Amino acid sequence: MSQHIPLKNVIRKGNDNGDGWVIQLETQTGRTVYGIGVAQASTGRTGPTWSYIFENDGLTIIDLGTPGSFDNFLDGYSQLPLSTKDIKRVIFTHGHSDHDGTAHEFCSFSNAELWAHKNYAPLKKYKIWEIQDRESSVLQKELMRISSILISESDRFSRWNQYSDYYSNKKNTEISRNLSDQESFEDIQIVQTPGHSPDQIVLLLDNFMFTGDHILPEITPHPTSNTIIKKEVSDSLPSFLKNTSPWFGLGTYLNSLSTTMRLGNEYTILPAHRLHNKGEFNWIDQSRGLEIISHHEKRLKRIIQRLNSNSDSLEDLTRGIFEKSKLLGSNIFAAMSEIVAHLEFLEDCKDIQVSNVGKITVLGEGDSYIKELDKIRSV
Ligand SMILES: [Zn+2]
Ligand SMILES: [Zn+2]
């Protein structure tokens, strides 16, 4: 629990899951930040996307919402004592559709600029699942092979197909400023925290840390898996993106948690989801990072235990670790890709090896990952 409760005023009450709330927050130095719980166009597990608005050389907005939710954003914004004419820029915490989903509508509505991490612009032309060279990794090949048996292609990619307009519009949006790690702009400081996505950043303003999906209350952000980009795409990318290991994977994500924890414990976290849920606000600080690391540690431990008791394929492991209810329909793809991210981390720690037919075995004691996690935690 954070010491400093930043809520100054409730401008409009919304639903128990956070939809529709409009609030006024105050930093320790007395700076005003507004928050809007922008309801998703279709209901999702994560609740609304929280959009934050404050003055920093003109009005700055952090994140907008899911495709189809622009009216919900404007409706919330209309409650603020601010004019939309004064909006100077929107900064995206990362390029997932629940954050930049209405960028296109926003640009037709306003002349404000769009800013994002430097990895955002070169990747926004692509759907990340299309550019990954899955042939280069046995686990990735297995993930695709098993899901093609269990899930129909239309189900597997239903979310992406549903958002086809979003993807085609995204190609044409213009990013005015590509942000780098440790860059400052007036009173904001940018810290890159890749892992949940390759372009994830957190923003620091006084004692507030806007975390996007890097740190969330109640839920553990989904880590990416190690990603090798197809050569034909990689050739068109800037040099800093050609080597993908600093940007993707569970290890990258956990190291980013370490980065944010090293910033000290005095920040109040303003996440993109679950700021308000079940009728209550969730005020957290970076120590939430330790809980997220423990969650992954437990999962890694269970994977090693199951491997030791003769579960040796990706499908078998996934079915052994997730409850049945989480494996229905296309959910098994998300569950398996989560397990892949963990297996890749164990592979990098030399705790397991994967044969070329996808048989997974433990190497030695299979406990090097514990040392690695202790290193990540020792901040
Ligand atoms: Zn995300
Ligand atoms: Zn999100």
Side-chain angles (χ1 to χ4, degrees), residues 270-290:
L270 297 175
H273 307 287
R274 300 288 180 102
L275 178 68
H276 184 283
N277 191 32
K278 297 181 182 150
E280 282 185 41
F281 282 96
N282 285 313
W283 306 118
I284 54 166
D285 60 34
Q286 298 107 293
S287 60
R288 170 72 185 141
L290 289 173

Side-chain angles (χ1 to χ4, degrees), residues 93-99 196-197 200 212-214 222 273:
T93 56
H94 62 299
H96 285 167
S97 61
D98 55 324
H99 299 254
H196 167 71
S197 82
Q200 171 78 61
D213 287 358
H214 171 60
H222 188 70
H273 307 287

Side-chain angles (χ1 to χ4, degrees), residues 279-333:
E280 282 185 41
F281 282 96
N282 285 313
W283 306 118
I284 54 166
D285 60 34
Q286 298 107 293
S287 60
R288 170 72 185 141
L290 289 173
E291 294 172 12
I292 296 174
I293 294 171
S294 297
H295 163 90
H296 290 293
E297 182 168 30
K298 273 192 210 126
R299 180 148 288 166
L300 292 161
K301 191 173 166 192
R302 284 199 64 195
I303 290 175
I304 293 286
Q305 279 168 347
R306 290 203 69 88
L307 288 170
N308 279 330
S309 61
N310 287 329
S311 254
D312 62 4
S313 73
L314 174 60
E315 184 179 354
D316 203 16
L317 269 177
T318 308
R319 292 196 188 279
I321 283 167
F322 283 92
E323 298 158 33
K324 261 203 178 119
S325 62
K326 299 230 164 119
L327 301 174
L328 299 173
S330 61
N331 290 344
I332 194 165
F333 183 78

Side-chain angles (χ1 to χ4, degrees), residues 78-345:
S78 71
Q79 304 290 311
L80 306 179
L82 303 172
S83 162
T84 50
K85 287 195 201 74
D86 298 325
I87 303 172
K88 285 280 160 55
R89 66 195 66 82
V90 176
I91 305 180
F92 295 124
T93 56
H94 62 299
H96 285 167
S97 61
D98 55 324
H99 299 254
D100 65 358
T102 57
H104 180 71
E105 285 114 307
F106 180 81
C107 291
S108 337
F109 168 86
S110 164
N111 291 323
E113 297 185 342
L114 303 181
W115 296 8
H117 183 264
K118 63 182 179 180
N119 286 350
Y120 179 101
L123 290 174
K124 77 182 172 66
K125 303 196 268 289
Y126 305 104
K127 298 170 186 163
I128 208 85
W129 52 274
E130 281 180 345
I131 63 175
Q132 196 166 352
D133 176 8
R134 310 236 187 214
E135 290 302 307
S136 61
S137 141
V138 177
L139 285 172
Q140 293 291 339
K141 260 197 287 194
E142 275 295 280
L143 172 67
M144 296 319 275
R145 186 188 65 80
I146 302 163
S147 33
S148 70
I149 297 168
L150 298 175
I151 319 164
S152 70
E153 184 139 343
S154 61
D155 264 8
R156 212 175 335 146
F157 300 122
S158 62
R159 188 161 72 95
W160 287 294
N161 294 336
Q162 179 194 338
Y163 285 164
S164 59
D165 284 350
Y166 158 74
Y167 282 106
S168 54
N169 289 331
K170 188 166 172 171
K171 284 182 192 162
N172 303 320
T173 54
E174 193 196 324
I175 298 302
S176 304
R177 184 156 164 176
N178 295 302
L179 301 166
S180 295
D181 192 28
Q182 303 300 327
E183 185 172 337
S184 296
F185 171 71
E186 295 289 316
D187 296 332
I188 308 176
Q189 201 199 337
I190 309 294
V191 181
Q192 71 184 23
T193 53
H196 167 71
S197 82
D199 54 2
Q200 171 78 61
I201 51 171
V202 305
L203 298 99
L204 308 176
L205 177 76
D206 299 343
N207 65 312
F208 283 4
M209 182 189 288
F210 302 94
T211 54
D213 287 358
H214 171 60
I215 297 178
L216 297 172
E218 299 182 352
I219 42 181
T220 38
H222 188 70
T224 42
S225 52
N226 292 351
T227 298
I228 295 180
I229 295 178
K230 287 177 184 160
K231 184 160 182 334
E232 59 270 31
V233 177
S234 178
D235 286 346
S236 74
L237 295 177
S239 56
F240 54 81
L241 251 170
K242 286 185 199 292
N243 172 15
T244 49
S245 60
W247 308 116
F248 292 91
L250 177 61
T252 298
Y253 174 65
L254 295 172
N255 277 302
S256 290
L257 282 178
S258 170
T259 302
T260 36
M261 287 191 294
R262 246 182 288 132
L263 295 169
N265 235 357
E266 69 270 25
Y267 288 97
T268 295
I269 286 181
L270 297 175
H273 307 287
R274 300 288 180 102
L275 178 68
H276 184 283
N277 191 32
K278 297 181 182 150
E280 282 185 41
F281 282 96
N282 285 313
W283 306 118
I284 54 166
D285 60 34
Q286 298 107 293
S287 60
R288 170 72 185 141
L290 289 173
E291 294 172 12
I292 296 174
I293 294 171
S294 297
H295 163 90
H296 290 293
E297 182 168 30
K298 273 192 210 126
R299 180 148 288 166
L300 292 161
K301 191 173 166 192
R302 284 199 64 195
I303 290 175
I304 293 286
Q305 279 168 347
R306 290 203 69 88
L307 288 170
N308 279 330
S309 61
N310 287 329
S311 254
D312 62 4
S313 73
L314 174 60
E315 184 179 354
D316 203 16
L317 269 177
T318 308
R319 292 196 188 279
I321 283 167
F322 283 92
E323 298 158 33
K324 261 203 178 119
S325 62
K326 299 230 164 119
L327 301 174
L328 299 173
S330 61
N331 290 344
I332 194 165
F333 183 78
M336 275 196 298
S337 62
E338 175 106 16
I339 296 296
V340 166
H342 287 79
L343 288 171
E344 287 168 341
F345 182 71

